[in-house]
Amino acid sequence: MILEGKKPQKVFKYFEELCSIPHGSGNTKKISDYLVSFARVRGFQYIQDEHDNVVIYKEATAGYEHSPVVILQGHIDMVCEKTAETDIDFKNEGLRLKCDGNVIYAEGTTLGGDDGIAVAYMLAILDSEDIEHPALECVFTSDEEIGLLGANALDCSVLRGRLLLNIDSEEEGKLLTSCAGGVTAFCSVPVQYDNLQFANGVSDEGKAYCLTVEGVTGGHSGVCIDKQGANAVMLLGRVLYSLFEDNDIGLIYIWGGNKDNAIPRSAYAHLLFRESSYDGMEAIENKLSKLESILRREYRHTDKAISISLKPVNFVDRVCYTEDGDSAPACVMTKTSSEKVLAALAGFPNGVMKYSMDIQGLVQTSLNLGILKTNISDNSCVDCSFSVRSSVGTEKEELISRMKCLMKCLGGNVAVSGDYPAWEYRENSKLRDIMVSCYEMLYGEKPELIAVHAGLECGIFAGKLEGLDCVSFGPNIENIHTTEEKLYIDSVYRTWEYIIMVLKNIKS
């Protein structure tokens, strides 16, 4: 056991067990069944639904029988990312835990401290006999990372509690008291293709190149959007628009980003430069060099390493291959289709749209183009996936309307999914007052009360449970959703002490 002897012992025991079970988003059945087995062995009442959500109930300890029921809540799925050299099958293998002094991480992958540590805390509380607490409803939700799907699907009529402790924040000493609502918007631009001819495996119309924009810092599309850094997909659109203005170019394939809730770090396009452009290749390369300098200057505070490269692409059997081995179907879009795609990328709103007038520095409304891909099928199109966020519902709707207007002009369409409400700040909160008081008793200082421009399950539960009073908190976790994720042992211990004190102080 890598974490044996680390305190709190039960918390780390369960965290290590969780890490040994595959539980990426969309692959949560095994971890859900593990929770059911845990409840059965200990004789706890439980509910498991078809979405892999689990609720485990524990009666109040002596003296707390008349105290208000408390909901403890966290999600069971994790973001699965790995380095290029890491050989791991996330669907069937557990994580390779490592411990270096005060830091826990996973070798070559994300750790899933977001939100495995919440699950471990809840299991440790359920498995303890010496902790004073009111009646508990421990809610383990699925697929939070891909749109809060589990919380959305959960039948909340099974919950009596109206005080909710959401253990899904990553900065100790900060209590989250409100969050933005959001929705995922899918924009689709239909495209058509010219009949590309080949001769000896090479197109007889021209030469193909791969244009790549990379070196963008990226980050979470809610938490990091206020840094106002670059979005590689939007930069690619800007570069392409500049190239297409005065060159005879065909768009073959375009791609960028992996998740709509992450700011894309790289994007590329396969292009056909027709013969009339050959003599101007040196001028094109000079133009790209100037554009690179311009972008580095514009984003010098956030993305100093932006780079633009142009490399030859080989055509083999109607497939494009870059020098790095990337491949894509070798079909060239018509001029009209290419212009529509570039118009969409040039016209899409992106980034911070508005800051709050009530809370200084808080982003009120934003959107992020997180995924761009070419879909070559019978109904070919270029798809764009956005994460749209706002603490004001009407502003969220207005952004969707703007995208619909643009798509209508380009012959495309917009579909939305995963709409979730904002979690509004409560002027009077009994739970918040208790948590502030307990923090002061433990640490001699007040915690910071903050709002966050990101989706939290608190918003879902607040929309379903009338009168819900909730706070989100957690231990220090760095670089979530990345292979550099780190969980700090001392912070896990302090947060454990904090949870126990909070539960003890929720008493009639």
Side-chain angles (χ1 to χ4, degrees):
M1 298 288 285
I2 300 297
L3 304 181
E4 187 173 2
K6 305 299 181 186
K7 295 183 179 181
Q9 292 184 4
K10 282 193 176 181
V11 173
F12 284 120
K13 169 185 178 294
Y14 287 118
F15 184 73
E16 189 156 0
E17 287 186 13
L18 293 166
C19 289
S20 71
I21 304 170
H23 58 285
S25 299
N27 185 37
T28 53
K29 186 64 167 65
K30 288 181 180 179
I31 206 77
S32 180
D33 289 345
Y34 164 85
L35 296 172
V36 168
S37 176
F38 172 94
R40 284 176 176 168
V41 168
R42 290 158 183 79
F44 292 131
Q45 181 186 356
Y46 71 89
I47 292 173
Q48 181 185 36
D49 68 16
E50 61 183 334
H51 305 282
D52 295 339
N53 295 309
V54 175
V55 181
I56 301 177
Y57 302 89
K58 187 178 183 182
E59 294 180 357
T61 57
Y64 287 80
E65 296 86 348
H66 302 292
S67 299
V69 177
V70 173
I71 301 171
L72 298 176
Q73 190 267 321
H75 61 87
I76 60 176
D77 64 313
M78 65 172 284
V79 171
C80 293
E81 292 287 345
K82 62 181 180 179
T83 59
E85 61 273 13
T86 299
D87 180 19
I88 189 171
D89 178 1
F90 280 119
K91 288 189 176 181
N92 299 295
E93 295 181 53
L95 304 176
R96 300 160 189 171
L97 281 189
K98 296 290 183 180
C99 185
D100 183 6
N102 188 42
V103 175
I104 301 169
Y105 63 99
E107 183 181 354
T109 69
T110 40
L111 174 65
D114 171 21
D115 195 21
I117 195 60
V119 178
Y121 279 137
M122 287 190 280
L123 294 180
I125 291 170
L126 287 168
D127 198 29
S128 298
E129 297 180 357
D130 58 349
I131 296 173
E132 298 176 283
H133 59 74
L136 299 177
E137 297 173 331
C138 293
V139 180
F140 305 86
T141 48
S142 64
D143 295 337
E144 186 268 356
E145 299 290 3
I146 52 175
L148 314 179
L149 302 184
N152 260 314
L154 182 67
D155 177 6
C156 285
S157 66
V158 302
L159 301 175
R160 293 185 297 125
R162 291 299 183 270
L163 300 179
L164 188 151
L165 298 175
N166 168 270
I167 314 171
D168 191 18
S169 297
E170 296 84 36
E171 289 186 82
E172 185 184 353
K174 294 186 177 181
L175 305 182
L176 299 187
T177 57
S178 66
C179 73
V183 66
T184 301
F186 303 93
C187 297
S188 185
V189 181
V191 296
Q192 294 179 326
Y193 294 90
D194 287 327
N195 184 21
L196 182 64
Q197 301 297 319
F198 288 84
N200 299 320
V202 179
S203 168
D204 60 3
E205 292 189 18
K207 296 180 181 179
Y209 290 83
C210 179
L211 175 70
T212 303
V213 175
E214 55 192 345
V216 172
T217 303
H220 188 281
S221 66
V223 177
C224 299
I225 202 76
D226 63 336
K227 294 181 173 62
Q228 302 190 72
N231 177 311
V233 169
M234 300 302 292
L235 294 188
L236 178 64
R238 177 175 170 181
V239 173
L240 287 173
Y241 191 85
S242 179
L243 286 182
F244 273 67
E245 278 186 313
D246 44 21
N247 293 283
D248 189 7
I249 301 174
L251 181 58
I252 300 171
Y253 185 85
I254 190 167
W255 174 92
N258 293 304
K259 296 180 175 65
D260 53 54
N261 66 350
I263 300 169
R265 301 171 63 182
S266 63
Y268 70 83
H270 286 166
L271 307 172
L272 180 71
F273 286 80
R274 295 187 173 85
E275 291 185 3
S276 59
S277 298
Y278 289 179
D279 295 337
M281 289 306 296
E282 183 177 350
I284 288 172
E285 290 174 353
N286 289 336
K287 186 170 191 175
L288 292 177
S289 179
K290 290 179 181 178
L291 282 170
E292 182 180 89
S293 296
I294 289 170
L295 295 177
R296 286 184 176 181
R297 184 175 69 251
E298 290 182 3
Y299 292 98
R300 62 188 180 279
H301 297 297
T302 58
D303 304 274
K304 294 185 290 186
I306 289 173
S307 68
I308 302 173
S309 61
L310 189 66
K311 297 180 180 179
V313 173
N314 294 319
F315 285 112
V316 179
D317 297 329
R318 300 185 71 81
V319 175
C320 285
Y321 290 93
T322 68
E323 291 181 345
D324 299 325
D326 292 330
S327 65
C331 304
V332 179
M333 296 178 196
T334 63
K335 181 178 180 182
T336 298
S337 292
S338 296
E339 289 174 345
K340 286 183 178 181
V341 172
L342 297 185
L345 292 176
F348 279 136
N350 190 78
V352 176
M353 296 290 107
K354 189 175 182 181
Y355 282 91
S356 171
M357 298 294 287
D358 298 314
I359 303 174
Q360 186 174 4
L362 176 68
V363 177
Q364 181 166 292
T365 304
S366 76
L367 75 167
N368 172 67
L369 202 176
I371 303 174
L372 170 71
K373 62 181 180 181
T374 308
N375 181 6
I376 296 180
S377 62
D378 292 338
N379 298 304
S380 298
C381 55
V382 170
D383 295 324
C384 302
S385 181
F386 288 83
S387 179
V388 183
R389 306 175 192 269
S390 182
S391 52
V392 179
T394 52
E395 291 184 8
K396 183 175 66 176
E397 294 166 4
E398 191 270 337
L399 276 178
I400 299 297
S401 295
R402 286 176 62 182
M403 286 189 277
K404 287 181 176 179
C405 181
L406 177 59
M407 287 298 98
K408 185 176 181 180
C409 292
L410 298 175
N413 60 75
V414 179
V416 297
S417 70
D419 197 352
Y420 57 92
W423 167 30
E424 296 185 6
Y425 180 81
R426 285 175 65 100
E427 187 172 345
N428 299 304
S429 167
K430 176 183 177 181
L431 179 60
R432 185 176 68 236
D433 292 344
I434 291 172
M435 295 187 73
V436 169
S437 176
C438 287
Y439 195 90
E440 287 185 281
M441 284 189 284
L442 275 175
Y443 307 117
E445 61 182 14
K446 287 183 178 292
E448 185 179 355
L449 303 180
I450 62 174
V452 64
H453 186 67
L456 289 175
E457 289 167 305
C458 296
I460 301 293
F461 288 106
K464 290 185 174 186
L465 298 172
E466 186 176 354
L468 184 70
D469 189 357
C470 55
V471 174
S472 180
F473 66 105
N476 291 328
I477 312 176
E478 286 186 356
N479 303 315
I480 63 169
H481 301 182
T482 77
T483 56
E484 302 300 316
E485 183 178 0
K486 296 178 177 66
L487 175 64
Y488 288 87
I489 294 172
D490 59 350
S491 183
V492 170
Y493 183 81
R494 289 192 298 269
T495 302
W496 170 252
E497 288 186 314
Y498 182 49
I499 295 171
I500 301 311
M501 178 176 278
V502 169
L503 290 176
K504 183 177 180 179
N505 281 270
I506 299 176
K507 194 172 185 179
S508 295

